[in-house]
């Protein structure tokens, strides 16, 4: 019974993290701004950091199953 919420949370975190990393990579590849009103280096660094952290959290949730 306890594995259901862990699977749901792991899926949500993993999908969000992967999508954020993919989106950030596509924006950088096309030299488009990642976030408006923020310096490009800061926006790329923070988006990559949060995407990787979210993906790692999803993998951790799957490890708890």
């Amino acid at each position: 019974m306890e594995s259901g919420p862990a699977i749901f949370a792991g899926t949500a975190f993993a999908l969000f993290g992967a999508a954020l990393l993919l989106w950030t990579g596509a924006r950088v590849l096309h030299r488009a701004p990642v976030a408006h009103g923020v310096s490009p280096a800061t926006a790329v660094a923070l988006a990559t950091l949060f995407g990787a952290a979210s993906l790692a959290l999803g993998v951790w949730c799957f490890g708890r199953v």
Side-chain angles (χ1 to χ4, degrees):
M1 269 325 243
E2 293 180 7
S3 65
I7 292 171
F8 176 75
T11 302
F13 281 122
L15 283 175
F16 176 75
L20 184 59
L21 288 173
L22 182 67
W23 179 81
T24 303
R27 299 295 286 184
V28 168
L29 186 66
H30 292 119
R31 299 186 188 268
V34 175
H36 294 286
V38 182
S39 74
T42 303
V44 169
L46 287 177
T48 303
L49 176 73
F50 283 110
S54 183
L55 191 59
L57 190 57
V59 169
W60 179 78
C61 287
F62 285 132
R64 305 288 294 173
V65 173

